[in-house]
Amino acid sequence: MNWDYYIKQLPFETSLDELVVVSAGISIFFAIIVAWLPFITKVPNGQRMKSLKLRRSDLMNKATKAQNRGLKDKGVGFAGKLVARMKLLKGATADAAQEKLLKAGFRSRDAVVIFLFMKLALPLTFALAALILFYGLNLYKLEPMMRMFVSLGAVIVGAYAPDVYVKNAADKRRAVLTKSLPDALDLMVICTESGLNLDGALLRSAREMRLSSPELADELELTSIELGFLTDRREALENFAKRTGLPSVEALVSTLSQAEKYGTPLASSLKVLANEMRDERLMKAEEKAAKLPATLTIPMVIFIMPALFIVLIGPGIIQAVDSFSKM
């Protein structure tokens, strides 16, 4: 097949080698996007319930069999093999990555594998893209030193991009949990006052919060599941605090642990916590409202004041220019 004829029909001048390089770069980019899809797509309620059932089965197998079903046993194809061969799932790095992903809401078995693989693949991909653009195709006429700095910057961006994405996801999830936690505490107060125990109160509150706050409903239901299967109930409550990373949840866990240990009234303690959290949420709203005038000062100076000056002083300036021109 005569490829030169078809290449000449393109609206821009290029060669077969450049076209192959660009096609390879596009293929690598879409491969990275496909590998990153589990972190981008939102999990619907059906898959949320499936993940909770999977966690229940894992706890059941752990309680009945002396085996460890960790992240090492499962993988995602090439990524899992590469991460396992480089032994990245062992040590403090994998534990820290798993804790970050739990706070961001990624609880699947392959989340750590994908995260560590992206930490390896993105710097290499960005470096390859920079080499293709700046040295292969020479699209941007840059100095050699500037090319080197831009290539190094691309590598740094690729290295920190997964951490930044997971941190932003964790911050958004933390804000959602903080906003809906007082309502969940009110539901738990109603459930405990009606005679339900802690497990039943968490499960019932999770069902009621499923539509308004599915993130908090998942955490409450998962805590209820762990309370029923783990040998140490305090460990299940501490896992709830670790997955959220909120000071308010830590206070809730401390209250629930004391109620479990000493038999203190749970409803009164939850009422106090709910009132404190509502007051804290109101104080944060008032703080944002107090910061609003100072925040709007810069946009007013940049966008509103010039237009106001033009309207007020513009006619006088025009008249002065006309009078000076006549003189």
Side-chain angles (χ1 to χ4, degrees):
M1 183 179 294
N2 190 6
W3 291 101
D4 294 334
Y5 173 75
Y6 294 102
I7 293 173
K8 291 180 181 179
Q9 303 301 320
L10 296 175
F12 51 88
E13 296 182 358
T14 184
S15 62
L16 180 59
D17 296 336
E18 294 177 350
L19 191 61
V20 170
V21 171
V22 172
S23 301
I26 294 173
S27 301
I28 294 173
F29 174 75
F30 280 107
I32 295 298
I33 292 296
V34 170
W36 193 247
L37 279 179
F39 292 104
I40 298 176
T41 55
K42 294 184 177 180
V43 181
N45 287 332
Q47 295 185 10
R48 290 177 184 272
M49 299 302 296
K50 184 178 179 181
S51 65
L52 292 175
K53 291 180 180 179
L54 185 61
R55 176 61 177 169
R56 187 191 297 272
S57 64
D58 287 342
L59 291 173
M60 176 66 76
N61 292 328
K62 184 178 179 181
T64 55
K65 297 180 182 179
Q67 63 179 3
N68 184 15
R69 295 180 61 184
L71 290 169
K72 304 175 187 176
D73 300 331
K74 296 292 182 178
V76 282
F78 173 73
K81 293 179 181 178
L82 179 63
V83 172
R85 181 169 296 180
M86 298 185 68
K87 298 181 180 180
L88 296 178
L89 292 174
K90 298 179 180 179
T93 304
D95 296 337
Q98 186 175 8
E99 186 176 354
K100 289 180 183 179
L101 293 170
L102 284 176
K103 291 181 180 179
F106 303 112
R107 293 189 295 269
S108 67
R109 298 168 179 168
D110 298 328
V112 179
V113 176
I114 296 175
F115 178 77
L116 295 175
F117 175 75
M118 298 304 293
K119 291 275 290 183
L120 290 174
L122 282 182
L124 298 177
T125 304
F126 282 24
L128 180 61
L131 291 176
I132 293 173
L133 292 177
F134 299 133
Y135 293 96
L137 300 179
N138 198 14
L139 294 181
Y140 302 98
K141 305 297 182 180
L142 299 177
E143 298 294 332
M145 187 63 66
M146 184 60 66
R147 290 181 180 179
M148 184 180 67
F149 280 122
V150 173
S151 301
L152 290 176
V155 173
I156 294 173
V157 169
Y160 284 97
D163 291 322
V164 172
Y165 179 80
V166 172
K167 184 179 181 300
N168 291 335
D171 292 339
K172 292 179 181 179
R173 186 169 179 269
R174 193 179 296 114
V176 172
L177 294 176
T178 303
K179 184 178 180 181
S180 56
L181 189 58
D183 299 332
L185 288 180
D186 290 337
L187 289 173
M188 290 178 62
V189 169
I190 296 172
C191 294
T192 52
E193 287 181 345
S194 63
L196 291 177
N197 58 358
L198 179 58
D199 301 10
L202 288 172
L203 188 59
R204 182 64 181 179
S205 301
R207 291 176 182 175
E208 296 295 332
M209 297 289 295
R210 177 63 59 185
L211 294 178
S212 60
S213 179
E215 294 85 0
L216 184 58
D218 290 341
E219 295 298 332
L220 295 177
E221 189 167 355
L222 185 56
T223 305
S224 176
I225 292 171
E226 290 183 346
L227 283 172
F229 283 100
L230 292 179
T231 56
D232 188 4
R233 293 172 65 86
R234 183 176 178 82
E235 182 183 355
L237 297 175
E238 290 177 352
N239 289 337
F240 180 31
K242 289 179 182 178
R243 289 193 303 268
T244 55
L246 293 174
S248 55
V249 175
E250 293 178 359
L252 174 62
V253 167
S254 178
T255 302
L256 296 177
S257 300
Q258 290 179 3
E260 287 280 328
K261 185 175 181 180
Y262 300 107
T264 57
L266 185 58
S268 58
S269 302
L270 291 177
K271 282 182 181 179
V272 174
L273 279 177
N275 292 329
E276 290 179 355
M277 291 180 187
R278 288 187 184 279
D279 293 338
E280 184 180 358
R281 187 169 65 179
L282 182 60
M283 289 175 61
K284 288 183 179 180
E286 292 177 352
E287 182 181 358
K288 289 182 179 180
K291 290 180 179 178
L292 192 59
T295 306
L296 290 176
T297 301
I298 297 178
M300 286 181 62
V301 171
I302 295 177
F303 298 106
I304 299 178
M305 297 301 290
L308 185 61
F309 285 149
I310 290 173
V311 172
L312 295 178
I313 307 176
I317 294 175
I318 294 174
Q319 291 179 2
V321 170
D322 290 340
S323 61
F324 280 116
S325 62
K326 290 179 181 178
M327 291 176 59

